[in-house]
Amino acid sequence: MSYLRLGPGVSRAGNGTAAPDLPRLAMSSKSEPISEQVPRASAHDAPWGRQNLLQILFVHRSAADVERCLHELRKVRFTVSSDVILTLEQFAERLRSQLFELILAEYPNPDWQETQLLDLLHEMKKDIPVIFLVHDLKREIVAEFILKGAADCIEVESIGHLPVAVHRALAEKSLRDQRDRAEKELRRSEARYRALAGNLSYGICRCSLDGRFLEVNEAMIRMLGYGSKEELLALELARDIIQDPDRRAKLLGQTGAVALVDPIEIEWKRKDHATLKVRLSGREVLSEHGELEAYEVIAEDITKQRELEDRLRRLAASDSLTGLANYRHLVDVLNSEIKRSKRTNREFAMLFFDLDGLKRINDRHGHMIGSQALCRLADVLCSCCRDLDTPARFGGDEFAVVLPETDAEEAHLVAQRICESVANDGKGPKLSVSFGVAVYPQNGETIERLLSQADSALYSMKGQRIVAAESRQTASGQ
């Protein structure tokens, strides 16, 4: 039997089980942390179940909402220590005095406006994922938060999505930290380079001034899949970089820029023709008389790291149910299309769709059929779109499609074709959708304005449909 070890903020219920108290809100610059200890997860638990102690800073006024968040995280075996504050002054003081892996912030909040919290975090140079807990989610606010660097936005009514959002934010932060550590590792002193010569994790080679291999270590031989040092010495993998002055300067960190230079990343072929992604960093080797006699290059195989980053990037940009782009990716696409339109002076359109009566479908047929209805609409969006279009699920029963180089008339034709396809997909229950259209730049020159215009047009159509349906019901009753 496993037991729950009690920490501050947890009390024993009368039935012998652990019952959490509501967290106390900080009314001054001091507040007591809430510590939730749970049993260690097994190897078969969810990935986030194996996290270490997670330090969370809540910027929130509602004790009930904070406890709901903690409850959802405990359900998936997060071990949480949390602190609750109210104002930006308390926020800054707490970040200076303590370490936090995650920030959960209420929005709207009377003590700060819009992106003030994100701006303060950037000013303090703190790379901490921020997830906003939003009441009455507005698309333009979500777009602004994502563009400013927020990790995610979760509606309080959908707080069950919080563990997935937390796991994704922590995974992205972990990747950033790994990349930063790798870059620092590659810029160590000469002593570090020499110590790496015997390291089995990094390939080390010494090249002549024209780029020919003079010496390689065992790690380099295994990395490239060769059977002997002599085979590898016959190759000239570094010649192109060494003989190119600009690339050589970047390899050696001699660009003259004040900021740190990113290491060179290239592709090398193994003996079996498999492709490796390799990160290179180098230094000059001087003779006893101070003359340049060779170059020493460190090669790190980052193939798996890049594959993992690509997979997480795809997951972060896609909706888990439908596989379409999510609202974060939609915001990025709209931002890119606005920039492209300004360069080319060509308009683009955005369609907004709302699946009519999803709640009625869920109540009558069950949530499984409701989820299938969302996937049916997603399939239609994909089949009716070109390769350059971007269909996305914005959230709930709302979907969007970005149509590059499309005017208002063409956009309406596409929307009507989608409506007809949804209504006649041959599956049950029968579905219908309402839509709104916004065209850049006629209907707005910002993402927020385009979203607002498309949303207004959508709900105008939905209102007309409701009035028409009520009229038909009245006539039928008479």
Side-chain angles (χ1 to χ4, degrees), residues 434 459-477:
S434 302
Y459 280 95
S460 176
M461 170 182 279
K462 188 175 284 286
Q464 293 171 8
R465 287 187 171 187
I466 292 173
V467 171
E470 290 175 347
S471 299
R472 287 194 298 271
Q473 290 176 354
T474 301
S476 176

Side-chain angles (χ1 to χ4, degrees), residues 251-265:
L251 174 72
L252 303 174
Q254 298 174 345
T255 60
V258 176
L260 292 176
V261 180
D262 291 333
I264 291 180
E265 291 187 12

Side-chain angles (χ1 to χ4, degrees), residues 78-267:
F78 269 103
T79 304
V80 180
S81 174
S82 63
D83 210 348
V84 186
I85 53 94
L86 298 179
T87 67
L88 284 181
E89 291 76 16
Q90 295 172 352
F91 178 76
E93 185 275 332
R94 206 56 52 90
L95 288 184
R96 281 190 289 265
S97 61
Q98 297 182 35
L99 294 177
F100 296 95
E101 286 89 61
L102 183 69
I103 296 170
L104 296 180
E106 174 191 27
Y107 184 85
N109 188 307
D111 295 304
W112 47 272
Q113 300 296 322
E114 303 292 331
T115 62
Q116 259 187 304
L117 186 143
L118 291 172
D119 294 337
L120 179 57
L121 201 62
H122 294 159
E123 289 175 10
M124 298 179 69
K125 297 181 179 179
K126 299 283 188 179
D127 183 14
I128 306 175
V130 179
I131 296 177
F132 286 96
L133 306 174
V134 184
H135 293 273
D136 189 21
L137 188 68
K138 289 184 172 59
R139 299 171 188 85
E140 55 270 24
I141 297 299
V142 172
E144 186 176 3
F145 282 163
I146 295 301
L147 287 174
K148 282 280 191 175
D152 216 330
C153 294
I154 301 292
E155 285 195 273
V156 175
E157 290 75 12
S158 304
I159 204 66
H161 298 163
L162 179 62
V164 174
V166 169
H167 177 60
R168 180 180 297 163
L170 295 177
E172 292 175 351
K173 175 64 165 57
S174 177
L175 279 176
R176 291 196 301 272
D177 291 342
Q178 290 177 23
R179 181 194 61 201
D180 292 341
R181 285 195 298 270
E183 291 176 355
K184 291 177 181 177
E185 187 74 16
L186 290 171
R187 294 185 175 91
R188 291 289 183 92
S189 64
E190 178 180 345
R192 176 59 176 164
Y193 279 103
R194 295 194 178 280
L196 284 173
N199 192 304
L200 301 181
S201 301
Y202 293 85
I204 307 291
C205 62
R206 180 167 293 200
C207 303
S208 66
L209 298 184
D210 61 358
R212 291 180 296 107
F213 281 160
L214 300 175
E215 187 66 39
V216 295
N217 71 345
E218 288 295 325
M220 178 79 83
I221 297 171
R222 286 197 305 274
M223 182 188 299
L224 294 170
Y226 286 88
S228 68
K229 180 168 65 175
E230 288 70 28
E231 284 185 279
L232 194 51
L233 289 176
L235 302 179
E236 299 178 346
L237 294 177
R239 181 184 286 271
D240 291 342
I241 294 176
I242 297 299
Q243 292 187 350
D244 184 321
D246 292 335
R247 298 179 73 191
R248 184 176 67 243
K250 185 176 181 181
L251 174 72
L252 303 174
Q254 298 174 345
T255 60
V258 176
L260 292 176
V261 180
D262 291 333
I264 291 180
E265 291 187 12
I266 63 172
E267 291 185 351

Side-chain angles (χ1 to χ4, degrees), residues 228-437:
S228 68
K229 180 168 65 175
E230 288 70 28
E231 284 185 279
L232 194 51
L233 289 176
L235 302 179
E236 299 178 346
L237 294 177
R239 181 184 286 271
D240 291 342
I241 294 176
I242 297 299
Q243 292 187 350
D244 184 321
D246 292 335
R247 298 179 73 191
R248 184 176 67 243
K250 185 176 181 181
L251 174 72
L252 303 174
Q254 298 174 345
T255 60
V258 176
L260 292 176
V261 180
D262 291 333
I264 291 180
E265 291 187 12
I266 63 172
E267 291 185 351
W268 277 353
K269 291 289 186 181
R270 286 172 45 90
K271 185 178 181 179
D272 59 7
H273 304 293
T275 300
L276 289 182
K277 293 186 181 297
V278 182
R279 177 185 287 158
L280 302 179
S281 182
R283 73 177 187 95
E284 294 179 340
V285 179
L286 304 180
S287 68
E288 294 180 358
H289 305 291
E291 297 176 349
L292 178 63
E293 67 175 16
Y295 299 104
E296 195 172 82
V297 177
I298 295 178
E300 179 187 7
D301 182 2
I302 58 170
T303 306
K304 291 184 179 180
Q305 178 183 336
R306 289 291 174 261
E307 290 174 351
L308 175 61
E309 289 175 353
D310 290 342
R311 184 169 68 86
L312 289 176
R313 197 175 294 112
R314 289 193 298 271
L315 290 174
S318 62
D319 174 63
S320 58
L321 174 64
T322 63
L324 299 181
N326 60 15
Y327 68 83
R328 296 180 65 189
H329 186 50
L330 175 66
V331 169
D332 291 338
V333 170
L334 287 171
N335 195 36
S336 298
E337 282 301 315
I338 288 175
K339 292 177 181 177
R340 187 160 72 109
S341 182
K342 289 178 179 178
R343 290 195 310 268
T344 62
N345 200 28
R346 303 174 107 175
E347 58 191 357
F348 72 90
M350 187 185 72
L351 307 178
F352 229 72
F353 293 94
D354 183 274
L355 181 60
D356 298 328
L358 178 61
K359 184 178 186 304
R360 184 178 67 253
I361 293 174
N362 286 332
D363 293 342
R364 183 174 299 176
H365 302 283
H367 286 273
M368 181 66 72
I369 300 300
S371 296
Q372 291 175 1
L374 295 172
C375 292
R376 286 164 59 189
L377 175 53
D379 291 341
V380 170
L381 293 180
C382 291
S383 64
C384 292
C385 287
R386 305 166 296 178
D387 290 341
L388 70 156
D389 300 333
T390 303
R393 182 185 179 196
F394 199 91
D397 56 359
E398 296 176 330
F399 293 76
V401 180
V402 180
L403 304 172
E405 301 187 6
T406 303
D407 60 22
E409 182 179 355
E410 294 170 332
H412 276 87
L413 291 176
V414 173
Q416 290 166 5
R417 185 165 68 248
I418 290 172
C419 291
E420 293 170 1
S421 298
V422 169
N424 300 297
D425 69 350
K427 301 175 183 178
K430 194 175 182 63
L431 304 180
S432 68
V433 293
S434 302
F435 70 88
V437 178

